[in-house]
Amino acid sequence: MSILLEAKEVSKMFGGLKAVSNFDMTINKGELIGLIGPNGAGKTTAFNLFTGVYQPTTGVINFAGKSLKGMKPSQITQRGIARTFQNIRLFSELSVLDNVKIAYHTHLKYNLAEAVLRVGRYMKEEKRIEEAGRELLKIFKLEDKADEIAKNLPYGAQRRLEIARALATRPQLLLLDEPAAGMNPQETNELMDMIRWIRKEFALSILLIEHDMSLVMGICERIYVLEYGSIIAHGLPEEIKKNPEVIRAYLGGEA
Amino acid sequence: MNSLRKLDAKAIIISLIGFAILQGLLTADILDNFWELNMILICINIILAVSLNLINGYTGQLSLGHAGFMAVGAYTGAVLTVNFHTPFLISIIISFVTAAILGAMIGLPTIRLSGDYLAIATLGLGEIIRIVIMNVNYVGGAAGFMGIPKYTTFAWAFFVMLFVVFFIKNYVNSSFGRACIAIRENEIAAETMGVNTTKYKVLAFMVGAGFAGVAGCLFGHTFYIVHPSSFTFLASFNYVIMIVMGGLGSITGSIAGAFILTTVSALLSAWPELRMIIYAVILILLMFYRPQGLFGNIELTSLPIFKRFKGGK
Ligand SMILES: Nc1ncnc2c1ncn2[C@@H]1O[C@H](COP(=O)(O)OP(=O)(O)O)[C@@H](O)[C@H]1O
Ligand SMILES: [Mg+2]
């Protein structure tokens, strides 16, 4: 298997707080990996480091063989990492379809003159992303909500739209930050099926943050466990389940 | 999708008919010089409002220095026409370029600022432009630049305005405009979707400033003189009021705002004190009854009337 993302001894300080320390992670092509840990463990910070929202204080992150050092989030997206946010960040005043259209941004091939004169590639390209966008919405059962304003969608639908939008950027690696947060059990199950399905269909690697451990155990091939910014365990779900460190940090906090 | 172009064609035809009628009334002297001047000013103010709306309304970057860019265009155009005898169209184009370059130069360092800070910085920079001009003797300094031929006819103003409106309209309805709107809606999400936010903010700044320069060039060739006092921050506020009144993020709104405020000020030109009071009353009423502006972010072409019109081939 070939390595897609590799983080080596990555640390991130916020003032005196070490939000992530000596973080090592490898994601291979096509893998579905879980990142779990209690609240405040540094999971979201890890995502922010992978996507260029923050720069690591020390350490390196390589993606598809190249360092991500100094790159802006938009450049990293163009290289093939997409993400969703723990606290949903849709373009909430825009339509569902427009949310997805914006995500095709880097895949549109027309220039300013063509756009302003509505000639050349403009018409064809706009038509293409309109169709692709609707197609994508269909996968997430949002096709009949295409013209609704994003903020008016029910919560679960907003989360699905965030994933749809991330996929529109055509990533190789998809980072999902607690995608099931706030969903009911039935929605959660559907979501997990969907995650499995899109991984195969879009030939993606997925890194999934979730603090419900049983959920992650069900679908992830490997799991990393984070506590106070450090990885305290990683391995197969079976191994993680039995790991005494994990049981102490996670399940047996009160034991 | 082809219906888009058809809609454009219809809008252009309607505009041409409107122009023919107005031009006819001017030629027949039913509308006198006073109204010709005000029709020119309406066109110029529409250019200013629509271009400012790209920056403030669509990209969400509060700029208060639009009159500064207008000044750059007015003086560039005046110098070119008077000292270098360039054809009017060339003066207009070069005015666009100089104002756009200045817009980029101002945009790049200030774009990191947001909200109030950007507003203050652009306000200051607009004033600096004016004060620099006031101190350059080559362009007449505080006395203003005189002897400019009155090239700006209603036809010039109208067709340049039409071009700018279509330019901005198509800009905002393309991936360029979606990038701007994404920035306005949520900058972090925009970056995450692959939008280089710095690039698109600076681009919006450049295009907006460039067309303010074009408006300035037309303005400079409307009277015999351009004078620094035409480009104070009060003028910049005036354009902000137009777009807020019409609705940020609506081109139709900007056109309406520019039209209404310019007309009101023309009708009340004999009573300048009253003008400010009426301005204030209009704004207060608007804030009470329609805080999103006359059009909100709706376009005329998406209103039911226009839809029906579209349907009838
Ligand atoms: N921008 C920031 N500035 C300061 N502290 C931060 C910032 N972002 C996160 N933190 C801190 O880093 C730690 C890890 O946070 P986070 O990555 O959000 O945890 P998790 O996603 O695992 O719940 C927390 O203590 C949090 O308060
Ligand atoms: Mg988190």
Side-chain angles (χ1 to χ4, degrees), chain A residues 53 72-75 77-78 81-83 85 89-94 98-99 101-103 105-106 108 110-112 115-120 122-123 126-127 129-130 165-166 169, chain B residues 1-5 7-8 163 166-171 173-176 178-179 181-200 203 207 297:
Chain A
V53 175
K72 285 177 52 135
S74 54
Q75 294 171 302
T77 306
Q78 285 162 26
I81 303 182
R83 72 175 292 182
F85 294 91
R89 282 184 197 271
L90 290 170
F91 304 113
S92 53
E93 301 291 332
L94 306 185
D98 279 342
N99 266 271
K101 275 187 177 179
I102 287 168
H105 181 80
T106 57
L108 275 172
Y110 58 75
N111 57 37
L112 182 58
V116 166
L117 299 172
R118 291 193 166 164
V119 294
Y122 171 82
M123 287 291 183
E126 283 292 311
K127 188 172 169 201
I129 64 155
E130 165 110 22
R165 196 180 61 166
T169 68
Chain B
M1 270 291 155
N2 261 331
S3 65
L4 263 186
R5 265 189 281 208
L7 198 60
D8 272 6
F163 173 80
F166 268 82
F167 187 107
I168 302 282
K169 175 184 81 67
N170 290 354
Y171 187 101
N173 285 304
S174 71
S175 72
F176 294 87
R178 275 197 301 269
I181 294 167
I183 291 168
R184 177 190 74 196
E185 289 294 312
N186 192 324
E187 204 167 329
I188 293 178
E191 268 284 335
T192 307
M193 294 304 118
V195 174
N196 180 346
T197 53
T198 311
K199 174 180 156 187
Y200 285 94
L203 193 61
V207 172
N297 56 7

Side-chain angles (χ1 to χ4, degrees), chain A residues 2-46:
Chain A
S2 56
I3 294 172
L4 189 58
L5 182 131
E6 188 178 28
K8 281 190 267 189
E9 293 180 24
V10 172
S11 300
K12 177 69 192 171
M13 303 283 294
F14 289 116
L17 175 83
K18 221 167 194 179
V20 167
S21 71
N22 278 329
F23 186 92
D24 285 300
M25 180 181 265
T26 313
I27 301 174
N28 296 307
K29 277 204 178 118
E31 271 190 312
L32 206 175
I33 294 184
L35 177 60
I36 63 174
N39 256 330
K43 306 181 296 294
T44 299
T45 304

